[in-house]
Amino acid sequence: MTGFHTKVGHVVFMDPSRTDFDDQGETEPREECGVFGVWAPGEEVAKLTYFGLFALQHRGQEAAGIAVGDGERIVVFKDMGLVSQIFDESSLEALQGNVAIGHTRYSTAGGKKWENVQPMFRTSPDGTDVALGHNGNLINYVELHDEAADRGLIDPAVVSSDTAAITALLAEDVADGRSVLDAARALLPRVKGAFCLTFTDGHTLYAARDPQGVRPLVLGRLDRGWVVASETCALDIVGAAFVREIEPGELVAIDESGVRTIRFAETDHKGCIFEYVYLARPDSVIRGRSVNATRIEIGRRLAREYPADGDIVIPVPESGNPAAVGYARESGIPFGQGLVKNAYVGRTFIQPSQTLRQLGIRLKLNPLREVIAGKKLIVVDDSIVRGNTQRALIRMLREAGAAEVHVRIASPPVKWPCFYGIDFASPGELIANAVTGSDDNEAAVVESIRSAIGADSLGFVSIEEMVEATEQPADQLCRACFDGKYPLGLPQGNPNADLVDNLLKAQNS
């Protein structure tokens, strides 16, 4: 990374003038973010955080950063790109301290700007450094932004991220004898929406989770310290033993005194069901339920709800693998790998030419012709959002000699956008809405989607069967992207949310 970084105060930033970032027009739902934190005196906390972020790379492939504190100051190193593109041995060696937080990001609030890369950094009026990372989306962002602007903490003319607003408000209240803990206890009850936070003053590691627990956040134990992370897989990677989940509505502080916990709100579980379906790594555990086991069980239930006459069950790798295994086991139809995924295709700074762009899905997936030629395929995928990927995939499979292509989806049709940390399309861009017009008949919706993507048959698991597979109470899950019921409400000042609100009112009138 030589030549890109400059020192600004206590923070090492990458050059904000860079513009060589692009999302390559991806059509999949974008995961939200991943957060990680470690308090471990005597350990290489920057390297632990680096490997923790590696485990959480799937949660955000747009940007990443690490903040390390040594009790005197905090140093932040961050940039656009993948974790492996941003950090090297020399940058990690420069990050020395006892406490660290890290973040991997996809933009949801604030957009794809270098200024919004996390962790955020502020210095409080009493000179305390504060760094903060955030996973989720706030529904009262406008209120918090306006408060921060009124207090002169951010430029009211600049559209910044929700994370920038809460970092500014948190740091500003660390003054007149108030600690970071005091400021957090006062601020968190006023923060509404989905949030998992890790933050530090360079001495203590803090973590907090919204009262509904929309996104996962866990606590782990090292031999000489503690770890907090978005998913249990990150604990495994750094050798931390799982202790428990951070409870919804809980604020945790970790330092030489141990782990202290403060309740800032009552728990009202509304965990995101899409974590089980798509977002979380299969080797993670959420509320005691293995994500991999959940996806296999969804596949079993999908096979019972929508059987198909096929020769082989193949997944769309990687996220479709467990459900395809479950479908094959339940149906008795052989499981096979009919598609090869290029493991190195992710976000890249290299723009494909128009010729390569037209190849579309072939940049990521390629068929094994000897496996699929002449076969009736049952293709299992985790979800359909816009339908572009499935349409291109089915065309590719037919060109490779597939006799029939029967598509089975391990989640119901996505009909509504997410305002709690996943960057879905607007309602009109979702294929479940775009292809059906005003026709609300479920069978007509499925048939329209089947025709649009070119499958011989199509089946989606039902909401009820999907919920049963998670082994969680139905009233403790958020399923808004499938059923339009937003348990935390809709965000302020968001045109897409206003559109959804009007659509829901018209639907219920």
Side-chain angles (χ1 to χ4, degrees):
M1 308 305 292
T2 302
F4 282 113
H5 63 273
T6 55
K7 188 78 180 285
V8 184
H10 296 325
V11 190
V12 178
F13 291 120
M14 305 304 283
D15 181 4
S17 66
R18 287 182 58 191
T19 58
D20 53 339
F21 335 110
D22 186 71
D23 66 1
Q24 306 301 320
E26 288 192 359
T27 58
E28 297 88 350
R30 292 182 181 176
E31 299 91 336
E32 61 296 339
C33 297
V35 294
F36 187 89
V38 56
W39 182 89
E43 298 284 358
E44 294 183 284
V45 294
K47 288 189 176 180
L48 286 171
T49 304
Y50 171 81
F51 287 111
L53 294 183
F54 230 96
L56 300 173
Q57 184 72 87
H58 62 289
R59 298 188 72 87
Q61 299 173 40
E62 186 173 281
I66 296 175
V68 175
D70 61 5
E72 298 295 327
R73 66 171 191 164
I74 293 174
V75 175
V76 180
F77 196 94
K78 58 183 182 177
D79 196 11
M80 305 290 286
L82 301 173
V83 174
S84 61
Q85 294 169 324
I86 297 168
F87 301 98
D88 57 21
E89 286 283 351
S90 61
S91 60
L92 293 173
E93 285 293 335
L95 299 172
Q96 295 293 321
N98 298 324
V99 60
I101 62 170
H103 189 269
T104 62
R105 183 176 192 261
Y106 264 136
S107 58
T108 48
K112 293 178 290 186
K113 297 190 296 184
W114 176 88
E115 291 83 357
N116 292 326
V117 180
Q118 300 179 41
M120 295 288 180
F121 174 87
R122 300 282 293 212
T123 300
S124 73
D126 74 356
T128 301
D129 287 349
V130 177
L132 181 146
H134 169 214
N135 168 206
N137 267 150
L138 306 183
I139 62 173
N140 67 333
Y141 159 69
V142 173
E143 173 189 327
L144 296 171
H145 178 275
D146 289 349
E147 178 184 346
D150 291 344
R151 295 173 64 178
L153 306 179
I154 58 178
D155 185 345
V158 176
V159 179
S160 59
S161 68
D162 50 6
T163 311
I166 58 175
T167 305
L169 292 170
L170 177 67
E172 185 66 14
D173 284 342
V174 182
D176 301 324
R178 291 191 301 272
S179 66
V180 172
L181 183 62
D182 295 331
R185 292 177 70 175
L187 175 63
L188 290 174
R190 299 191 290 114
V191 179
K192 307 300 179 185
F195 60 89
C196 286
L197 307 177
T198 56
F199 53 104
T200 184
D201 56 7
H203 174 75
T204 303
L205 172 64
Y206 300 94
R209 193 177 180 199
D210 68 78
Q212 288 74 33
V214 176
R215 302 285 156 220
L217 189 65
V218 295
L219 174 68
R221 187 73 164 101
L222 293 167
D223 289 341
R224 296 194 291 177
W226 299 87
V227 172
V228 293
S230 289
E231 294 184 35
T232 60
C233 65
L235 303 183
D236 299 335
I237 297 302
V238 301
F242 172 77
V243 176
R244 63 177 178 86
E245 293 198 355
I246 305 295
E247 285 296 312
E250 182 183 14
L251 167 64
V252 168
I254 303 171
D255 55 23
E256 64 273 5
S257 300
V259 178
R260 290 166 287 156
T261 180
I262 295 166
R263 173 67 60 180
F264 67 87
E266 292 301 313
T267 295
D268 179 25
H269 281 292
K270 291 292 184 292
C272 172
I273 198 168
F274 214 67
E275 292 279 355
Y276 288 101
V277 171
Y278 175 81
L279 296 180
R281 265 180 43 162
D283 51 337
S284 287
V285 176
I286 301 175
R287 293 196 72 189
R289 177 62 164 157
S290 160
V291 172
N292 185 66
T294 299
R295 292 175 185 171
I296 290 174
E297 180 60 22
I298 289 175
R300 288 185 179 277
R301 293 169 181 266
L302 179 59
R304 292 197 291 267
E305 283 195 293
Y306 290 98
D309 178 20
D311 300 315
I312 187 172
V313 178
I314 67 169
V316 178
E318 303 285 338
S319 55
N321 289 359
V325 169
Y327 196 102
R329 288 177 181 174
E330 185 66 25
S331 66
I333 299 170
F335 173 89
Q337 294 287 354
L339 294 163
V340 175
K341 182 177 182 179
N342 185 337
Y344 301 97
V345 174
R347 294 193 160 242
T348 173
F349 293 157
I350 307 301
Q351 293 274 6
S353 67
Q354 182 59 29
T355 301
L356 289 174
R357 195 181 291 274
Q358 289 173 350
L359 294 176
I361 198 171
R362 291 183 185 273
L363 294 174
K364 296 183 179 182
L365 298 171
N366 206 35
L368 286 168
R369 296 173 187 272
E370 70 273 18
V371 173
I372 66 177
K375 301 287 181 59
K376 293 184 289 184
L377 308 179
I378 302 172
V379 181
V380 180
D381 205 353
D382 55 82
S383 60
I384 295 182
V385 180
R386 290 181 176 91
N388 298 334
T389 298
Q390 287 79 13
R391 185 182 300 111
L393 174 62
I394 291 167
R395 186 185 310 119
M396 183 175 69
L397 291 172
R398 293 195 190 283
E399 290 171 357
E404 297 176 11
V405 182
H406 302 274
V407 175
R408 297 295 180 264
I409 304 298
S411 61
V414 176
K415 296 182 178 180
W416 302 95
C418 175
F419 298 104
Y420 305 147
I422 310 173
D423 188 17
F424 278 134
S426 64
E429 294 175 302
L430 296 168
I431 192 170
N433 300 324
V435 299
T436 58
S438 61
D439 192 342
D440 293 327
N441 181 275
E442 194 68 31
V445 170
V446 174
E447 173 55 26
S448 296
I449 297 173
R450 183 209 63 77
S451 177
I453 65 175
D456 289 290
S457 72
L458 174 64
F460 294 84
V461 75
S462 64
I463 290 181
E464 294 76 17
E465 294 294 331
M466 177 181 62
V467 169
E468 286 289 328
T470 69
E471 298 184 352
Q472 306 301 318
D475 63 353
Q476 294 185 13
L477 291 167
C478 175
R479 311 179 305 236
C481 56
F482 303 118
D483 63 14
K485 298 175 182 177
Y486 293 90
L488 282 68
L490 294 170
Q492 310 161 345
N494 184 314
N496 211 19
D498 294 339
L499 171 62
V500 167
D501 189 38
N502 291 333
L503 289 171
L504 289 171
K505 287 176 179 176
Q507 187 180 86
N508 297 326
S509 62

